[in-house]
Amino acid sequence: MPLTPKSSPLSRRTVLRALGAGAALGGLAGCGVPAAYVPAGERAAADLSATDKRLTWANWPLYIDTDDGHPNRRPTLAAFEKRTGISVDYVEEINDNDEFFGKISPSLMNRQPTDRDLVVISDWMCGRFVRLGWVQEMDRSRQPNVTRYLDPLLRSPAFDPGRRFTVPWQSGITGIAYNRRRIGREIRRVSDLWADDLKGRVTLLSGLDEAFALLMLGNGVDITDWAEDDFHTVCDQVEKQVGRGQIRRFTGNDYIKDLSGGDVLACQAYSGDVIQLQADDPDIEFVVPEEGAELWAESLMIPDLARHKASAERLIDHYYQPEVAAELAAWVNYVCPVPAARDVLASSDDADTAALAEDPLIFPDAAMRERLAIAKDIPAGRRAEFAKRWNGIVGV
């Protein structure tokens, strides 16, 4: 069947909530509490994959393809089940990284199973799990497609060199969205957000991990190897802009409403959201600033003591087949971690589907790729301090 692009009524990231009560537990993980660390030799359980053909997968809402006629049917997942005979219990239970951490951390730190074989969380949170030894190293002999097709830009983040413990599910870009018709000019640099004619009509993301990298790039900082002073310089700048009334407010995904309604003219934004906004308003544009933008991912991990590890590894590899990755990309519209899927979409007989292959927010072109980087995570020992300062500015 031809691939057909789908636009869900809400972006998957729309369900993200502002940093809340889970932050305390998140800080605990960031500090790497010694008692919580699980040595490599204690992470595996007896693998039942050969005899027990099932697994449980926890993911975010609106983050997989669905059948229009049967919303609970997921075609790419159904294809895996049919091919392998493995039944997948797909649970849309992750609404916030810190909240989910708080939900499963008691089991992990106490060396107990989580009853999940596969989870998807943001890479900055994946880094905490990796440091704490709460995830198992994957067997790449079961994942030839991952080895062959994973985007080189995503292959070796600082928190997981070589992606031994994580594999990107989907990726995206944090850049700037703006309404070109209302502003009457292009936005090209991060500093353009501070123009006088945008006063009171700019928003920044409220989440520390979501916001800081793009602002550092605006200062010419290498976000793959930034220093503590770089963070405090950004905070000083944002405090100044708050003081002069430049920033209307700090947002989660509600910037979508502000931008589409005209209350905001320019904002920090996620590439996947803007694709959906452009369908209704072609005047909204997304820009990777001249200084660059942050490339992020949300990744698949196999928690400690998962009982169906081999089956989970096979499922991950299923989604790295270019044909399957293309079908998923046509529905979720985030940056596809499998560049080879582009040719699959381009060959579609459906014009709308083929057009997705040319969308740089799904398949960044060479010029854009040169300006994308994965930010180094916030140091574990500094997370609580940095969060306190940032949240004080944001008003959390």
Side-chain angles (χ1 to χ4, degrees):
M1 296 178 63
L3 301 177
T4 304
K6 302 295 181 184
S7 293
S8 57
L10 295 173
S11 163
R12 197 275 309 159
R13 279 186 169 260
T14 303
V15 302
L16 294 180
R17 299 185 305 187
L19 189 63
L25 281 172
L28 175 65
C31 294
V33 178
Y37 178 77
V38 179
E42 299 177 18
R43 298 173 191 173
D47 195 342
L48 305 179
S49 295
T51 56
D52 189 18
K53 297 293 186 177
R54 60 188 176 93
L55 67 88
T56 299
W57 177 8
N59 204 347
W60 304 75
L62 307 175
Y63 217 17
I64 196 170
D65 54 305
T66 59
D67 187 319
D68 284 346
H70 303 86
N72 291 325
R73 184 177 183 274
R74 304 169 180 96
T76 57
L77 192 54
F80 172 80
E81 293 178 313
K82 181 178 180 180
R83 179 173 62 84
T84 64
I86 298 169
S87 175
V88 181
D89 182 16
Y90 185 83
V91 185
E92 294 184 325
E93 65 170 325
I94 305 176
N95 292 305
D96 176 89
N97 286 290
D98 289 291
E99 177 189 60
F100 187 67
F101 174 89
K103 187 174 185 177
I104 68 172
S105 60
S107 296
L108 290 164
M109 69 175 58
N110 288 296
R111 278 66 163 182
Q112 297 172 350
T114 65
D115 298 324
R116 299 163 183 84
D117 300 292
L118 201 58
V119 301
V120 178
I121 55 178
S122 300
D123 267 1
W124 62 266
M125 179 62 83
C126 289
R128 302 185 192 180
F129 279 71
V130 171
R131 285 192 297 271
L132 285 164
W134 288 0
V135 292
Q136 300 184 61
E137 183 171 355
M138 296 188 200
D139 182 351
R140 287 288 184 260
S141 69
R142 299 191 184 104
Q143 298 177 321
N145 292 316
V146 174
T147 300
R148 180 177 180 182
Y149 292 116
L150 174 58
D151 191 332
L153 284 179
L154 297 167
R155 283 184 180 269
S156 197
F159 75 90
D160 184 15
R163 288 283 183 184
R164 296 164 53 211
F165 299 95
T166 63
V167 173
W169 170 242
Q170 294 294 291
S171 185
I173 303 166
T174 300
I176 297 172
Y178 69 102
N179 190 307
R180 183 171 181 173
R181 178 179 57 83
R182 287 190 168 118
I183 293 178
R185 66 176 188 279
E186 292 184 348
I187 284 183
R188 297 181 177 179
R189 304 178 64 86
V190 175
S191 60
D192 290 344
L193 293 173
W194 317 137
D196 289 341
D197 62 341
L198 299 183
K199 186 174 182 178
R201 304 186 76 178
V202 172
T203 61
L204 299 181
L205 295 169
S206 59
L208 168 59
D209 294 275
E210 287 78 16
F212 80 90
L214 182 70
L215 300 174
M216 282 187 185
L217 282 163
N219 293 331
V221 174
D222 176 4
I223 61 171
T224 67
D225 189 28
W226 55 272
E228 184 173 345
D229 285 348
D230 298 321
F231 171 77
H232 288 297
T233 296
V234 162
C235 288
D236 291 342
Q237 292 170 332
V238 174
E239 281 181 325
K240 177 182 177 181
Q241 298 302 332
V242 169
R244 65 186 290 259
Q246 186 74 14
I247 299 171
R248 182 182 183 91
R249 65 192 186 104
F250 295 86
T251 72
N253 277 79
D254 41 347
Y255 71 82
I256 296 171
K257 179 178 66 176
D258 291 344
L259 185 62
S260 61
D263 292 331
V264 163
L265 298 179
C267 58
Q268 278 189 316
Y270 303 120
S271 55
D273 290 340
V274 176
I275 290 176
Q276 296 185 26
L277 287 173
Q278 289 171 333
D280 297 321
D281 188 348
D283 291 322
I284 292 177
E285 298 197 12
F286 182 88
V287 62
V288 170
E290 292 177 1
E291 306 97 331
E294 180 189 13
L295 179 69
W296 46 262
E298 285 166 327
S299 294
L300 297 141
M301 302 189 303
I302 300 172
D304 289 357
L305 304 182
R307 303 308 298 269
H308 306 92
K309 181 174 183 286
S311 292
E313 290 165 339
R314 290 181 66 186
L315 178 57
I316 293 169
D317 203 56
H318 167 74
Y319 278 97
Y320 269 74
Q321 298 175 77
E323 295 78 10
V324 178
E327 188 171 356
L328 180 63
W331 200 90
V332 301
N333 291 173
Y334 279 87
V335 175
C336 181
V338 182
R342 181 181 182 276
D343 291 339
V344 177
L345 291 172
S347 65
S348 173
D349 293 333
D350 181 86
D352 290 338
T353 299
L356 294 177
E358 304 305 318
D359 192 327
L361 300 188
I362 299 176
F363 298 98
D365 57 29
M368 183 180 289
R369 289 172 69 89
E370 289 181 357
R371 290 180 286 137
L372 299 177
I374 298 177
K376 184 182 74 173
D377 194 15
I378 295 171
R382 289 286 184 266
R383 176 164 289 276
E385 171 193 341
F386 285 9
K388 182 177 180 179
R389 179 162 192 205
W390 180 256
N391 291 342
I393 298 170
V394 172
V396 175

